[in-house]
């Protein structure tokens, strides 16, 4: 029996890497449903190659896609649209595994739907967990979903934790002899830039990550270190640990993907060449292992592994995220929403790179924090925070 996979965000960087892993194991997995947002031609190629049963696109693209599928004799592929379509494929009874690889808040409801349907959920869409935190984690427990980290750092932490860690009692303290999590960061393309130099960096420079090839939004987040901030929050929720047990370590080579320290003085690390196919394969098959095309690490080639503390003055986003995690409630939603708006404005040449954390900080000051009681409050706050961030961007001259 093969497992039916649904890929939310199939045309993205993670979506493509997922297909790369799946195509090596056609005896174990079939691509049942996929979603895309804008790149219809790429989606069509995917339909031709994998013959999914269902595809989801925005309503305004559905007609064009229908014609393209008809021209290719792929009439049998069902087209669903918008958020309702994303939710329908995420919770579809025939689906076993959901890859949550939509970028940003748009992935929240479909990811949560997959969790509530008790699927094996491979979580790349960190923004969804940052926004919904406890609600997502409790839903996973209640509906017996297997929420497995695809983010390379969290996947490395998961691999380095005791095998029964996720079953351990959930407290703010590390359990089972774990003393600390070391979350590694490459430092991004501007690690050695001065604050002065940072003011003039362009979107093109920000999107050129030294070690990873990723979508634009996460590339900019990696450059501001907001990605590490989001990952700090993600780690606290996934591993039920308070933020002061998570230390960020800059490791420019991206060979060690994160570490776990134990009370007896041990430090366990997961290492590998920087390729997302490794954590994707791990989350797909866990506790088994799948072969991938990723070559084994050659330590003689690697030669050097360096570590340093993050510069939180040059990259204030990291500390903002730490404060937000401490504050809890709706603060992570406010941080995430304003960051999405700020990154889009930077990519659109409306604000400077160094203004991204300023937009976030301002929004956190203006929008009131409260308890994140339910998803409706989270979505409402997300909308308000976006408006406040946009207003601020207009005022600073965007
Ligand atoms: P990407 O920009 O390459 O792809 C995003 C995907 O989401 C695309 O398929 C796009 O069609 C879809 N999408 C975008 N906006 C949408 C919307 N409003 N509604 C529905 N679908 C929409 O991004 P990516 O690099 O693949 O990242 C995806 C997620 O995985 C992000 O949350 C990112 O933080 C996380 N992640 C990525 C990497 C990586 O190496 N790329 C690593 C770790 C985590
Ligand atoms: Mg990561």
């Amino acid at each position: 029996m093969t497992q039916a996979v649904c890929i939310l965000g199939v045309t993205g960087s993670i979506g493509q890497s997922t297909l790369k892993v799946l195509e090596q194991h056609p005896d174990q997995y079939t691509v049942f449903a996929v979603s895309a947002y804008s790149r219809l031609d790429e989606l069509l190629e995917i339909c031709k190659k994998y013959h999914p049963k269902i595809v989801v696109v925005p309503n305004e693209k559905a007609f064009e896609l229908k014609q393209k599928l008809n021209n290719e004799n792929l009439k049998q592929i069902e087209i669903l649209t918008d958020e309702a379509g994303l939710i329908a494929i995420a919770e579809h009874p025939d689906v076993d595994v959901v890859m949550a690889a939509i970028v940003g808040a748009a992935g929240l409801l479909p990811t949560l739907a997959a969790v509530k349907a008790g699927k094996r959920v491979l979580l790349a869409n960190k923004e969804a967990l940052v926004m919904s935190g406890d609600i997502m984690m409790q839903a996973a427990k209640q509906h017996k979903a297997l929420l497995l980290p695809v983010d390379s750092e969290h996947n490395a932490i998961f691999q380095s934790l005791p095998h029964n860690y996720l079953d351990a009692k959930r407290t703010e303290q590390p359990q089972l002899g774990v003393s600390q999590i070391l979350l590694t960061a490459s430092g991004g393309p501007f690690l050695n830039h001065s604050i002065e130099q940072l003011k003039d960096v362009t979107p093109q420079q920000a999107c050129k990550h030294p070690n990873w090839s990723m979508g634009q939004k996460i590339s900019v987040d990696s450059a501001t270190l907001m990605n590490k901030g989001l990952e700090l929050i993600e780690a606290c929720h996934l591993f039920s640990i308070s933020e002061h047990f998570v230390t960020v370590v800059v490791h420019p080579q991206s060979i060690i993907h994160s570490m776990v320290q134990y009370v007896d003085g041990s430090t366990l690390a997961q290492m590998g060449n920087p390729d997302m196919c490794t954590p994707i394969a791990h989350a797909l098959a866990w506790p088994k292992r799948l072969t991938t095309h990723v070559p084994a690490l050659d330590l003689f080639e690697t030669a050097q592994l360096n570590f340093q503390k993050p510069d939180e003055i040059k990259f204030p986003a990291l500390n903002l995220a730490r404060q937000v995690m401490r504050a809890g409630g709706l603060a992570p939603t406010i941080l995430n929403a304003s960051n999405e708006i700020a990154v889009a404005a930077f990519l659109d040449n409306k604000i400077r790179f160094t203004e991204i954390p300023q937009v976030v900080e301002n929004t956190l000051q203006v929008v009131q924090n409260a308890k994140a009681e339910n998803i409706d409050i989270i979505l409402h706050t997300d909308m308000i925070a976006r408006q406040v961030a946009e207003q601020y961007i207009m005022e600073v001259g965007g």
Side-chain angles (χ1 to χ4, degrees):
M1 273 277 282
T2 59
Q3 296 209 44
V5 182
C6 161
I7 307 174
L8 302 169
V10 74
T11 47
S13 162
I14 293 287
Q16 295 289 320
S17 296
T18 306
L19 290 175
K20 214 164 160 182
V21 176
L22 295 180
E23 75 184 17
Q24 290 180 49
H25 302 280
D27 51 326
Q28 294 186 57
Y29 301 97
T30 49
V31 180
F32 180 87
V34 297
S35 86
Y37 192 62
S38 54
R39 294 173 229 159
L40 279 202
D41 288 331
E42 287 169 35
L43 178 63
L44 187 68
E45 291 309 310
I46 291 167
C47 289
K48 279 165 39 185
K49 189 161 172 190
Y50 297 93
H51 297 98
K53 292 230 169 1
I54 311 173
V55 298
V56 180
V57 289
N59 191 36
E60 62 271 17
K61 305 262 181 208
F63 182 69
E64 189 187 339
L65 179 65
K66 180 107 208 120
Q67 286 183 320
K68 284 182 192 281
L69 289 176
N70 285 353
N71 292 344
E72 299 291 341
N73 276 331
L74 292 169
K75 267 196 190 78
Q76 72 282 8
I77 297 181
E78 186 181 354
I79 301 175
L80 300 179
T81 59
D82 296 341
E83 192 161 71
L86 294 172
I87 291 171
I89 58 170
E91 63 185 20
H92 196 288
D94 293 346
V95 165
D96 302 297
V97 182
V98 176
M99 165 53 85
I102 288 174
V103 59
L108 173 59
L109 291 184
T111 304
L112 194 59
V115 167
K116 286 187 175 167
K119 307 291 186 197
R120 175 185 283 247
V121 181
L122 317 188
L123 185 75
N125 181 201
K126 64 193 86 181
E127 297 91 346
L129 183 60
V130 166
M131 293 172 74
S132 62
D134 293 341
I135 293 179
M136 178 89 75
M137 295 311 295
Q138 275 162 18
K141 199 169 171 202
Q142 188 184 345
H143 299 279
K144 298 195 169 47
L146 201 49
L147 188 60
L148 296 168
V150 166
D151 214 344
S152 57
E153 296 77 3
H154 305 74
N155 185 271
I157 294 163
F158 182 55
Q159 293 199 45
S160 306
L161 282 169
H163 68 94
N164 53 345
Y165 194 84
L166 293 190
D167 303 329
K169 204 168 139 259
R170 299 213 146 234
T171 66
E172 294 278 286
Q173 301 286 326
Q175 301 289 306
L176 303 176
V178 172
S179 58
Q180 203 186 176
I181 284 177
L182 302 178
L183 185 68
T184 57
S186 69
F190 309 135
L191 177 61
N192 299 316
H193 275 48
S194 67
I195 294 188
E196 272 311 304
Q197 285 174 311
L198 281 183
K199 285 186 185 148
D200 295 319
V201 299
T202 63
Q204 288 75 4
Q205 290 169 324
C207 288
K208 226 185 199 155
H209 196 277
N211 308 330
W212 300 93
S213 142
M214 310 181 285
Q216 285 195 320
K217 194 262 177 182
I218 184 177
S219 296
V220 176
D221 283 349
S222 299
T224 59
L225 288 204
M226 181 58 90
N227 182 50
K228 217 42 60 181
L230 296 173
E231 290 186 357
L232 172 85
I233 300 172
E234 185 186 10
C236 293
H237 289 302
L238 279 173
F239 308 118
S240 183
I241 200 167
S242 90
E243 54 77 29
H244 56 268
F245 293 107
V246 184
T247 302
V248 174
V249 180
V250 174
H251 163 47
Q253 292 88 0
S254 299
I255 294 293
I256 293 183
H257 299 303
S258 277
M259 293 168 262
V260 175
Q261 292 193 319
Y262 288 81
V263 290
D264 61 2
S266 300
T267 301
L268 299 196
Q270 187 263 353
M271 302 197 268
N273 287 308
D275 189 320
M276 289 307 293
C277 288
T278 299
I280 290 169
H282 178 265
L284 259 174
W286 181 83
K288 295 188 185 142
R289 296 272 176 177
L290 285 176
T291 53
T292 68
H293 67 282
V294 184
L297 195 59
D298 181 342
L299 283 172
F300 300 110
E301 281 275 310
T302 306
Q304 273 209 344
L305 300 178
N306 300 97
F307 307 98
Q308 64 191 74
K309 285 192 173 153
D311 183 338
E312 299 202 7
I313 298 180
K314 218 160 70 176
F315 301 107
L318 187 54
N319 192 38
L320 280 177
R322 213 177 256 286
Q323 286 173 22
V324 153
M325 188 61 214
R326 266 187 223 136
L330 294 165
T333 297
I334 302 166
L335 170 109
N336 179 66
S338 53
N339 180 57
E340 285 191 32
I341 294 295
V343 170
F346 168 67
L347 287 170
D348 219 8
N349 292 305
K350 287 191 179 140
I351 59 171
R352 284 170 187 267
F353 180 78
T354 41
E355 285 169 335
I356 297 173
Q358 292 169 15
V359 174
V360 175
E361 192 171 6
N362 178 267
T363 312
L364 283 164
Q365 278 165 10
V366 174
V367 183
Q368 195 165 3
N369 191 12
K371 242 179 121 195
E373 274 167 358
N374 55 51
I375 284 296
D376 289 342
I377 292 174
I378 290 171
L379 292 176
H380 180 72
T381 306
D382 174 83
M383 188 188 74
I384 301 285
R386 282 167 198 270
Q387 288 167 356
V388 170
E390 262 160 10
Q391 184 65 33
Y392 179 78
I393 288 167
M394 265 162 46
E395 281 163 18
V396 296

